[in-house]
Amino acid sequence: MNHNHEEGHDCGMHHDHKEMNHKECCHHDHDQKMEQCDMHMDESAHKHDEKGSCCHHDGAEMHGHDHMHHDMNHEHMDHSMHMNHGGMDMGHDMSHMNHGGMDHCGMDMGHDMGHMHHMGNLKLKFWISLILTIPIIVMSPMMGMKMPFQVTFPGSDFVVLILGTILFIYGGYPFFTSCIGEVKSKKPGMMSLITMGISVAYVYSVYAVIANDILKATPMVNDFFWELSTLIVIMLLGHWIEMNSVMSAGSAVNKLAALLPDNAHLVSEDGNVTDVSVNELSENQTILIKSGEKIPADGTIIDGTTSVNESLITGESRDVNKQVDDQVIGGSINGSGTIKVKITGTGESGYLSKVMKMVSDAQASKSQAEDLANKVAGYLFYAALIVAVIAFVAWSIIHNVAYAIPITVSVLIIACPHALGLAIPLIISRLTAIAATHGLLIRNKTSLEGIKKVKYALMDKTGTLTQGDFKVNAFDSLDNDVEKNDVLQIAATLEANSSHPLAEGIIKAFDELNMEKLSAENIDEISGAGIKGEINGNKYAVVSSAYLTKNNIAFDTTQTDQYLTQGNSLSYVINNDNVIGFIAEGDSIKPGAKDMIEYLNSQNITPVMLTGDNQKAAEKVASLLGITEVNAELVPEDKQALVSKYQETGSVMFIGDGVNDAPSLTKADLGIAIGSGTDVAIDSADVVLVNSNPADVIDLIKLAKQARTKMIQNLWWGAGYNIIALPLAAGLLSSIGIIIGPMLGAVIMSLSTVIVAINAMTLRIK
């Protein structure tokens, strides 16, 4: 069954909204085979693939489509996407993209993980390094302390040297390469600190073997192979835990490119139609788009009428009626009509290209965020270096260089405690495990670390705060000779074969009455107005107010006005040009949405609605939820611009689920995607609400705040003791007999590692 709608207008539909103009539109078939959106969530996530079942009737989710692109020249986007957005080749498969620090698997792991894309297979590196470490531990003392299990034999020092060298090169390689990146960016952090620690330990240990076993020096020089091997293994373990704890992510830009089909029907000048690759299309060519096909390029309709499902692009649940001279967007889905489109351009001017560029630019910008551990490691790197240099110079002057070197080495090695490598990963592992049990998938832990700074929560409406589908809120008779239930029965009979969401709502409401179904004859569509047919010899129709106005059919609106002001869409049932009843339907607020808004307000986080819907419909939903700031009739670039605007005065959280939300999700300090949303939105977000329940944001904020507190505590246990340990290791109080030697340093390291592990396990939602 075909229904019609055009954004911002009544569209002549048989479903009406008070604020709409009266404009005749073409038909649409809402059943647009939404399976093209290839969700990677579970089957339930498909319920409403792109903002749910897209209502496209009067008053239902109108998002300013005309404002979005009727004033724009949408040129065709080359399907090969060989645009250079921030130095990235946007090839169609996009399999090798590296968005500002993401590894080649597309994982966004925060700043430190951004530098870890050279690590390769962390799991394999860890296990091989562990195998090499075991004999080193058995044959090498821990900071000079001989352990009960230690085994030595003639030449064992050289065996340790060989194993230590292999481990240093193989296990340490990823830290070296990442350290180079940190140094080049002039931001030494965790990788630099680890590299400094293992390099000093290795070089000094090689010197110790030469001095002890070749030069026979006395007293013997302590080596640090034990510290070298355990440090490498623990750091690899920490990063493996962290990477394994977050969801592997695809590329949001990759998903955007996939919205376009591979081929197009090219119409030659003589009228012949040939299938060609989309990347062969060029400006001013004509293409044929059949019913149900994806539109391969931006362009202008030159022949035919149809309706276009643009929810993949706009995010709002509605179809848009199209006729000659109307524009279409590449990536949207054609309805029941066959149309010919003249391509208006190629390359970066296409709508999807612009969204892709916004997403990739935001990714590149956001990847510069530095996490807590990396900041602490950076401070510790400089502190250790400064203290070590001062200690070396001072003790060289007081005693000699030979006396100063062991002290300097101790300072540099103690500065890189093993606990620091596990302090954050253990929290992340615990965080993601707890989050998963509460329907939360954590994709970027760095964004969560700034949760206490969030001042604004910007959010989409349809599919985020509302269900995105429609149900009958009221129906009644306007004729004394017609029973109330008869109105619904007549409408359901005429709409029996329709897949439109409003029609489905009518049918569902009728089924709940358990009434006998009638049979209808001569069912036919009223072009741009509704549907008509004969039931028991009587002529009935289900139409919109536009039809009533056009045909001068008057009725008493006293009873219907209240439902219009509540934001409902109205369908009118008529018999021989007499209005005998009406049906009011509305999109419902999601369970949990109001709880989320109330919690945000209690946390001094200002909720702000950003939607493509019309202002009055948006304000109605906002008033029901307690949202005071509303921005309506927006397009993706508007949303992203507002995110940037709010970021000028505070950190921003963004909650959304459509392709049009992807740039905003990426740009925001914390992006939260609804699980039933699009692949593109999900891949742009830092957190995914698997159950699509807005109330889960409450658990997310509580958990994130607790996790951040635990992170800070662990960083103090893992690195904070250096405030005391470094000066003492440097010999600041040696004159009164107080000094932290290697053995005491080893004990402190072990204790801090145990403490951070226990502290991580106490994380829970409070």
Side-chain angles (χ1 to χ4, degrees), residues 44-54 467-469 657 676-677:
S44 64
H46 286 276
K47 182 180 178 182
H48 303 293
D49 271 357
E50 305 299 334
K51 297 282 185 181
S53 58
C54 306
Q467 296 284 18
D469 57 2
D657 70 337
S676 59

Side-chain angles (χ1 to χ4, degrees), residues 344-608:
T344 55
T346 60
E348 298 184 9
S349 59
Y351 179 80
L352 274 185
S353 295
K354 293 177 180 178
V355 176
M356 291 168 72
K357 187 176 189 306
M358 287 190 289
V359 170
S360 58
D361 287 349
Q363 285 174 330
S365 172
K366 195 170 186 177
S367 69
Q368 301 303 314
E370 208 172 17
D371 62 22
L372 290 172
N374 219 46
K375 289 180 180 179
V376 171
Y379 296 143
L380 192 53
F381 174 83
Y382 284 116
L385 205 57
I386 293 171
V387 172
V389 170
I390 293 174
F392 178 78
V393 172
W395 288 114
S396 294
I397 295 174
I398 297 172
H399 287 280
N400 52 56
V401 173
Y403 185 89
I405 289 177
I407 294 177
T408 304
V409 171
S410 295
V411 169
L412 293 175
I413 294 177
I414 287 176
C416 191
H418 297 58
L420 190 59
L422 295 175
I424 301 301
L426 289 177
I427 295 290
I428 298 302
S429 180
R430 177 71 174 162
L431 168 67
T432 53
I434 296 175
T437 63
H438 288 77
L440 304 167
L441 287 180
I442 309 297
R443 294 164 47 84
N444 181 5
K445 55 90 178 177
T446 303
S447 295
L448 286 179
E449 291 177 8
I451 190 68
K452 287 189 175 181
K453 297 180 181 179
V454 172
K455 188 175 179 180
Y456 302 100
L458 278 57
M459 60 199 73
D460 180 42
K461 180 177 73 67
T462 309
T464 300
L465 297 174
T466 64
Q467 296 284 18
D469 57 2
F470 290 78
K471 65 178 182 179
V472 173
N473 291 328
F475 63 93
D476 207 348
S477 170
L478 297 176
D479 188 321
N480 293 330
D481 295 329
V482 178
E483 295 293 329
K484 175 181 177 180
N485 288 349
D486 291 342
V487 172
L488 193 61
Q489 185 181 40
I490 293 169
T493 300
L494 295 178
E495 299 276 24
N497 296 317
S498 175
S499 60
H500 193 281
L502 285 182
E504 290 176 349
I506 291 173
I507 295 170
K508 182 178 180 180
F510 173 71
D511 289 341
E512 293 175 355
L513 295 179
N514 294 318
M515 292 180 64
E516 181 181 353
K517 292 184 178 180
L518 303 176
S519 59
E521 299 177 341
N522 301 322
I523 294 179
D524 192 17
E525 180 183 349
I526 303 174
S527 179
I531 191 171
K532 63 182 179 179
E534 293 182 14
I535 301 176
N536 296 329
N538 294 312
K539 294 181 179 180
Y540 295 98
V542 183
V543 298
S544 68
S545 65
Y547 180 89
L548 302 181
T549 302
K550 182 179 179 180
N551 291 276
N552 297 315
I553 300 175
F555 72 101
D556 186 357
T557 62
T558 303
Q559 194 171 346
T560 59
D561 284 345
Q562 60 176 316
Y563 297 106
L564 287 173
T565 57
Q566 293 172 4
N568 288 279
S569 298
L570 262 64
S571 303
Y572 299 93
V573 179
I574 62 175
N575 173 225
N576 295 323
D577 291 342
N578 294 314
V579 179
I580 62 174
F582 70 93
I583 302 170
E585 295 181 78
D587 191 4
S588 57
I589 301 295
K590 273 192 172 184
K594 189 171 182 62
D595 291 339
M596 177 188 70
I597 299 302
E598 291 176 351
Y599 179 77
L600 291 173
N601 284 321
S602 72
Q603 298 298 304
N604 295 319
I605 299 175
T606 303
V608 182

Side-chain angles (χ1 to χ4, degrees), residues 96-365:
H96 302 294
M97 293 176 59
N98 185 342
H99 297 299
M102 289 191 297
D103 67 13
H104 296 301
C105 296
M107 297 185 70
D108 183 6
M109 301 300 299
H111 184 75
D112 58 334
M113 284 295 98
H115 284 165
M116 298 297 287
H117 61 275
H118 296 296
M119 278 199 156
N121 191 327
L122 277 177
K123 182 178 179 180
L124 179 63
K125 280 188 180 294
F126 166 74
W127 285 114
I128 292 178
S129 297
L130 180 61
I131 292 172
L132 293 171
T133 295
I134 293 173
I136 293 176
I137 292 176
V138 171
M139 292 184 285
S140 179
M142 179 177 70
M143 287 197 170
M145 293 188 298
K146 289 186 179 292
M147 307 301 290
F149 55 79
Q150 188 174 344
V151 176
T152 59
F153 52 85
S156 62
D157 288 349
F158 290 103
V159 174
V160 172
L161 174 60
I162 294 172
L163 295 175
T165 300
I166 296 173
L167 178 60
F168 176 68
I169 295 172
Y170 175 76
Y173 175 76
F175 301 108
F176 303 149
T177 54
S178 297
C179 173
I180 292 173
E182 289 184 348
V183 172
K184 284 184 177 180
S185 64
K186 298 180 180 180
K187 285 187 175 181
M190 183 69 77
M191 301 300 105
S192 301
L193 184 62
I194 295 171
T195 299
M196 180 179 69
I198 63 178
S199 297
V200 169
Y202 176 73
V203 172
Y204 191 78
S205 296
V206 171
Y207 159 71
V209 171
I210 295 173
N212 295 333
D213 294 89
I214 298 178
L215 301 179
K216 305 299 181 181
T218 54
M220 292 186 66
V221 179
N222 292 326
D223 68 67
F224 291 98
F225 278 119
W226 191 96
E227 292 71 34
L228 166 70
S229 60
T230 54
L231 185 57
I232 289 176
V233 167
I234 287 180
M235 292 301 172
L236 287 175
L237 175 62
H239 286 294
W240 176 27
I241 289 173
E242 188 170 352
M243 293 183 73
N244 196 47
S245 296
V246 296
M247 179 177 141
S248 60
S251 166
V253 183
N254 197 9
K255 293 297 192 305
L256 280 166
L259 293 180
L260 289 176
D262 294 324
N263 299 307
H265 310 303
L266 180 64
V267 181
S268 62
E269 293 183 1
D270 58 7
N272 291 326
V273 179
T274 307
D275 286 352
V276 300
S277 174
V278 173
N279 59 11
E280 296 178 25
L281 298 178
S282 60
E283 185 178 353
N284 295 321
Q285 288 183 328
T286 299
I287 52 178
L288 178 70
I289 305 167
K290 300 177 182 178
S291 173
E293 291 184 336
K294 287 184 180 180
I295 295 174
D298 292 1
T300 302
I301 297 176
I302 59 175
D303 182 46
T305 60
T306 188
S307 61
V308 177
N309 186 327
E310 296 184 332
S311 60
L312 282 169
I313 309 300
T314 64
E316 292 298 329
S317 50
R318 37 169 300 288
D319 277 5
V320 182
N321 294 284
K322 300 288 185 178
Q323 55 191 356
V324 174
D325 294 333
D326 283 344
Q327 292 181 332
V328 293
I329 303 172
S332 52
I333 302 174
N334 186 29
S336 58
T338 297
I339 55 175
K340 289 183 180 180
V341 172
K342 182 177 181 181
I343 299 173
T344 55
T346 60
E348 298 184 9
S349 59
Y351 179 80
L352 274 185
S353 295
K354 293 177 180 178
V355 176
M356 291 168 72
K357 187 176 189 306
M358 287 190 289
V359 170
S360 58
D361 287 349
Q363 285 174 330
S365 172

